[in-house]
Amino acid sequence: MPANGGCVAGGSPLTVQAGLRALDLGGNAVDAAVAAQLMACIAEPLLTGLGGGGLATLVVDGQAHVLDFFTAMPGLGRDGPTPPMDEVVLDFGPTTQAFSVGQGSVAVPGMPFGLAALHQRWGSLPLSELARPAVHACSHGVDITPGFAEVARLLWPIQCVTPQMRALFERRGGSVQPGDRFVNPGLAQTLELFAEQGAAAFRSQGSLGAAILSCFTGSALTARDLDDYQAIRADPLRVARGQHEILLPPRPSAGGPMTAAALSSFASTSAPFTAAHAREVARSMSLAESLEPPLSAGLTTHLGAVDQQGNACTITSSLGETCGHLVPQAGLALNNFLGEADCNPPQAPTPAGRRLRTMMTPTVLRGPSSIHTLGSGGSSRIRSAVLHALLHLIDHGLHPRQAACGPRCHMEAGRLRVEAYGRPEPDFLARLADFEGLVTFEGPNMYFGGVHIAGRADGAFEGAGDPRRSGAFGILGASQR
């Protein structure tokens, strides 16, 4: 196997390919994750981008870190009333949900500062080389995947907020469809500038930062917000389970502490996918929920990479639902996290400059002869998706494909929701009939998140992308299991 072998998992085949290319050029897991994240800006443009934020958990040379680059409350040095927001109702099929969008919903983007910090501290390849595939994809276009199209359909009312946003995503009078081509030449120039100048391009005196401030005069963003923002390194939460160590993000992640609490209380030895196992998942999740209310909003994506040397880097990121506005010349969509009551609770205003709350839970799992990255999109379901994957990998020794793709359940506000397919018991639902208001899903559903896993066990690379979220996985090198 080549010395620069490795593997990558993410929410799009293009995202994964960009990460593998970085490994093939001799980069490490951090290089692969940064390259993959830059590609996700064009391959998954309604889920993530430089106008959003994220969290990363990583292990480099045996040392574990969390890097927080989630969005922050804007308004440093600003006086005046809170900018207004507009309400948009999205149709989720069985239910609808209202979100606040518009320029007033924009929080301070952390993504460019986080990616620059990851690369500067732990990367090894030039940033321009890591960005090259994404720049090419922006200029020449990417094929719309079913997952991309489904998110576009869901968010179509928000894409119609401004003519510029609508023009970027509209095809034949509606949202993009599978097989359509998506091109964003303005974003190609933005990525090139970021690759050349790093985070400086997004400070108030940089061309991209100045463009944001000029275009978003209806927001609370200030020059100080962009100039003072820093990615924050933190120590991960550590949970021991058997011979494994689980590394989770601390606050502002609510998902990290809640997953840690659920893991610590989970004692079941029941077989996976059974009703007894689902009961214990529900019990442990209810306990964690009593410690901290979960967050329920936000569309999110996840990726991870592991290299031949045992380094690992995993990133969860989001734009919320986007604010519906672009920096047109830059092809840059910004987030709407101020419009999500969970991240920005109106009854407890967040001071300017302070991080907002998030459910993102990028996770690293270390065993005696293994290391895996995992995480999920899915807002409040992130914690249950990550919990399931960890239990399947640690307690039951399942392959990442089974851990990522197997049926899941989610307990929230006293109501259990389950995927009923693939269960070993013919009377699975009957065994859970005492749960009041039990909600069943007959097949895999994106409601339950999208767990993407990349890892190495006993010297061989392994992993999986979750088909619920158009997940993909790839290996550089021949050794796998």
Side-chain angles (χ1 to χ4, degrees):
M1 180 185 299
N4 55 334
C7 62
V8 182
S12 161
L14 292 175
T15 298
V16 170
Q17 290 167 20
L20 293 175
R21 176 183 177 274
L23 292 172
D24 195 31
L25 291 173
N28 61 22
V30 175
D31 292 313
V34 170
Q37 180 61 56
L38 291 172
M39 178 61 81
C41 293
I42 180 66
E44 307 170 61
L46 290 169
L47 296 177
T48 188
L50 293 175
L55 298 174
T57 302
L58 58 154
V59 174
V60 177
D61 297 330
Q63 300 299 308
H65 314 269
V66 170
L67 194 68
D68 163 19
F69 46 98
F70 194 58
T71 56
M73 176 63 72
L76 289 173
R78 178 184 180 276
D79 293 320
T82 302
M85 293 182 269
D86 304 312
E87 184 176 280
V88 172
V89 177
L90 301 183
D91 181 8
F92 286 84
T95 185
T96 60
Q97 186 173 354
F99 295 91
S100 293
V101 298
Q103 293 201 2
S105 69
V106 176
V108 184
M111 181 65 74
F113 308 107
L115 292 183
L118 278 171
H119 174 261
Q120 182 176 10
R121 182 161 183 176
W122 295 290
S124 61
L125 295 177
L127 190 56
S128 58
E129 195 60 60
L130 301 181
R132 192 181 306 278
V135 170
H136 182 273
C138 289
S139 298
H140 293 80
V142 299
D143 290 329
I144 303 296
T145 64
F148 186 148
E150 176 60 21
V151 173
R153 181 203 63 78
L154 178 65
L155 296 183
W156 182 238
I158 296 177
Q159 296 163 52
C160 293
V161 166
T162 61
Q164 296 89 348
M165 190 78 163
R166 178 168 184 154
L168 184 61
F169 288 95
E170 185 174 29
R171 302 292 185 277
R172 299 175 298 279
S175 63
V176 293
Q177 300 296 315
D180 286 342
R181 198 79 174 157
F182 181 71
V183 182
N184 189 346
L187 186 59
Q189 298 178 25
T190 292
L191 290 172
E192 285 183 321
L193 195 59
F194 173 68
E196 178 186 338
Q197 300 180 9
F202 282 84
R203 303 297 183 186
S204 67
Q205 297 302 307
S207 59
L208 295 172
I212 291 172
L213 294 173
S214 175
C215 292
F216 281 76
T217 56
S219 74
L221 286 171
T222 68
R224 272 191 60 193
D225 291 327
L226 299 181
D227 292 341
D228 289 3
Y229 186 99
Q230 298 293 330
I232 301 171
R233 197 212 73 84
D235 293 325
L237 303 176
R238 298 172 185 262
V239 179
R241 190 170 184 86
Q243 293 183 294
H244 290 79
E245 181 184 47
I246 301 135
L247 307 174
L248 298 159
R251 289 179 174 80
S253 169
M258 294 180 78
T259 302
L263 282 166
S264 298
S265 69
F266 195 98
S268 174
T269 57
S270 301
F273 313 128
T274 61
H277 193 267
R279 284 184 176 278
E280 183 62 13
V281 168
R283 187 199 65 79
S284 63
M285 292 184 65
S286 294
L287 175 62
E289 189 177 1
S290 70
L291 302 177
E292 181 168 1
L295 283 71
S296 60
L299 296 174
T300 314
T301 191
H302 180 81
L303 60 88
V306 172
D307 65 29
Q308 182 69 23
Q309 287 69 43
N311 301 310
C313 184
T314 186
I315 300 172
T316 308
S317 62
S318 179
L319 287 166
E321 295 77 32
T322 79
C323 70
H325 290 248
L326 287 173
V327 181
Q329 63 271 37
L332 188 64
L334 267 62
N335 68 84
N336 70 319
F337 282 115
L338 298 189
E340 296 185 354
D342 289 332
C343 297
N344 179 34
Q347 71 277 13
T350 303
R354 187 81 55 83
R355 293 294 202 268
L356 303 178
R357 295 174 68 231
T358 176
M359 188 57 74
M360 295 177 185
T361 314
T363 303
V364 174
L365 172 65
R366 294 199 286 193
S369 60
S370 64
I371 187 166
H372 292 84
T373 69
L374 62 133
S376 179
S379 58
S380 67
R381 282 82 65 198
I382 289 175
R383 60 194 177 102
S384 57
V386 170
L387 176 64
H388 276 86
L390 289 169
L391 294 172
H392 293 331
L393 292 170
I394 300 170
D395 292 7
H396 306 293
L398 298 185
H399 188 276
R401 283 191 299 273
Q402 297 168 291
C405 304
R408 295 198 278 267
C409 64
H410 178 74
M411 184 72 168
E412 185 173 344
R415 177 167 289 189
L416 181 63
R417 299 161 175 85
V418 298
E419 292 178 310
Y421 72 96
R423 302 289 182 173
E425 301 158 328
D427 58 347
F428 170 77
L429 292 177
R431 291 172 182 259
L432 300 175
D434 55 310
F435 280 91
E436 184 177 355
L438 179 69
V439 180
T440 63
F441 294 74
E442 295 305 317
N445 194 288
M446 68 179 298
Y447 172 86
F448 291 90
V451 175
H452 309 316
I453 304 173
R456 189 179 182 213
D458 299 320
F461 294 113
E462 61 180 17
D466 195 328
R468 296 175 182 86
R469 297 289 180 104
S470 296
F473 170 73
I475 293 174
L476 178 69
S479 180
Q480 59 180 296
R481 73 184 187 104

